[in-house]
Amino acid sequence: MTPFIAEILGTALLILIGGGVVANNILKKTIGEGGGWMAVTTAWVLAVFIGVVVAGPYSGAHLNPAVTLSLAVAEKFSWTEVPAYIAAQFIGAMIGAFLVYVIYKDHFDATDDAELKRAVFCTAPAIPNTFRNIISEIVGTFVLLICVFYFSAAEIDNGTGTKIGLGSIGAIPVAFVVWGIGLSLGGTTGYAINPARDLGPRIVHALLPIKGKIDSNWSYSWIPVLGPTIGGTLAALLYTILS
C-alpha cells in the first residue's frame, strides 16, 4: 500500500458507496427506490467513513482535490505531492462510478428518465442559478475544510502521558461534518464539495454506453470543480491568518 494506491482505493470506495445509494434511491425497480434524502446523506456519511478508514493510515485520506490543495495552501502538505494525489483521486472516483454502473446496469436499463440516470454520476442544481450554485459549493466546502483544519488528533491520554490512538473511530468526525453539510446545505446543488467526486463520474457517464442517456451537462460541470476549490482555499487562508 502506498499513498497513491490508498487515495485510489479510498476514493473508489467513497464513490462506490455514495453513488450506489443514489442509484438505489432513484433508479427504477431497486429495493431502495424512493428512500429519500436522509438515506442518501446517511450513506454518503458512511461512504466517507469507509474511505477514510481504508486510506487514512497510508495517505491521510484526502479523497478530495479540494482537501489536498487546501492543505498545501496552509503549508500542511507538500506541493510536490499534490499532482499525484489529485490524479489518484480522479482515478478512484472513475473506478467507483464504473462499478456502480456495473452493479445497477439492469436498473439503468429499466429507468426511462435520462436525467435520473445522469444524477447517479454527478450533481446538478435543484434551481439553476450560476451565482448561488457556486456560492453553495464554496460555502459547503469551506465548512468541510475549516473543520478539518481544527480537528484535534484522534487520541486520548491514559493519564500516564502516553497517547492512545482511537484507530478507525478517528474517522467519524469528518463523516459527521459531511452529514451536517448534506442535511443543511446540500439541497441546492447536491453538495459535491469534491471536484473528483463530480467530474470523475461525469466523465464516466460520458464514456459509458448507457441506454437512452443524455449529455453529461458539461455547461454546469465547472461549478462543482471551481466552487470547492475556492471554498477550500478560503478555509486554508482563514486558518493560516487565525493560527
Side-chain angles (χ1 to χ4, degrees), residues 142-196:
F142 176 88
V143 173
L144 171 64
L145 265 299
I146 201 67
C147 288
V148 167
F149 282 121
Y150 281 100
F151 279 147
S152 299
E155 58 187 19
I156 58 176
D157 193 326
N158 67 357
T160 65
T162 301
K163 300 292 184 180
I164 302 174
L166 299 183
S168 296
I169 296 176
I172 291 177
V174 68
F176 278 179
V177 172
V178 172
W179 200 3
I181 293 170
L183 290 175
S184 300
L185 306 175
T188 57
T189 62
Y191 73 117
I193 60 174
N194 181 341

Side-chain angles (χ1 to χ4, degrees), residues 197-218:
R197 172 265 175 274
D198 192 274
L199 184 56
R202 194 182 296 269
I203 293 171
V204 172
H205 174 268
L207 295 175
L208 284 173
I210 302 170
K211 179 183 176 183
K213 78 174 182 180
I214 54 176
D215 69 274
S216 300
N217 196 12
W218 293 111

